Amino acid sequence: MCIRPSRIDLHAAIDSDDTGRFFTGTVRRFMNEGDEYRVVLAVGDGGPSLSATVRSDVFESLGLEPGDTVHGTVPPSAVHVLGA
């Protein structure tokens, strides 16, 4: 499965309209990449890591630190399944 980091939106809370397409993750680390931040999330117990890229203003408004819980949404069209 492949998801472009720029297609993942991060939120402090989930709107009831997004209940079918959200996930909850824990911030493992983040890196400042100029105008945006790459946020690496641990999803589930021992599950995969996901990287999300968010604009600096979004990152700052969320106030994320390693260990914080954050919610993400992904549009269905952003998920690509790769063959073996």
Side-chain angles (χ1 to χ4, degrees), residues 24-64:
T24 301
T26 302
V27 177
R28 294 175 107 181
R29 65 184 176 278
F30 58 84
M31 289 128 327
N32 183 326
E33 296 183 337
D35 334 355
E36 54 193 23
Y37 281 79
R38 182 171 303 265
V39 181
V40 179
L41 306 169
V43 180
D45 292 331
S49 292
L50 290 177
S51 291
T53 304
V54 295
R55 292 186 332 259
S56 294
D57 60 325
V58 172
F59 179 84
E60 291 164 7
S61 72
L62 291 170
L64 298 177

Side-chain angles (χ1 to χ4, degrees), residues 5-27 39 41 52-55 57-65 68-75:
S6 62
R7 298 295 307 272
I8 298 173
D9 292 322
L10 299 182
H11 312 272
I14 289 296
D15 194 345
S16 61
D17 294 340
D18 288 328
T19 56
R21 61 183 182 110
F22 84 93
F23 63 89
T24 301
T26 302
V27 177
V39 181
L41 306 169
T53 304
V54 295
R55 292 186 332 259
D57 60 325
V58 172
F59 179 84
E60 291 164 7
S61 72
L62 291 170
L64 298 177
E65 293 293 336
D68 287 352
T69 298
V70 68
H71 306 284
T73 55
V74 179

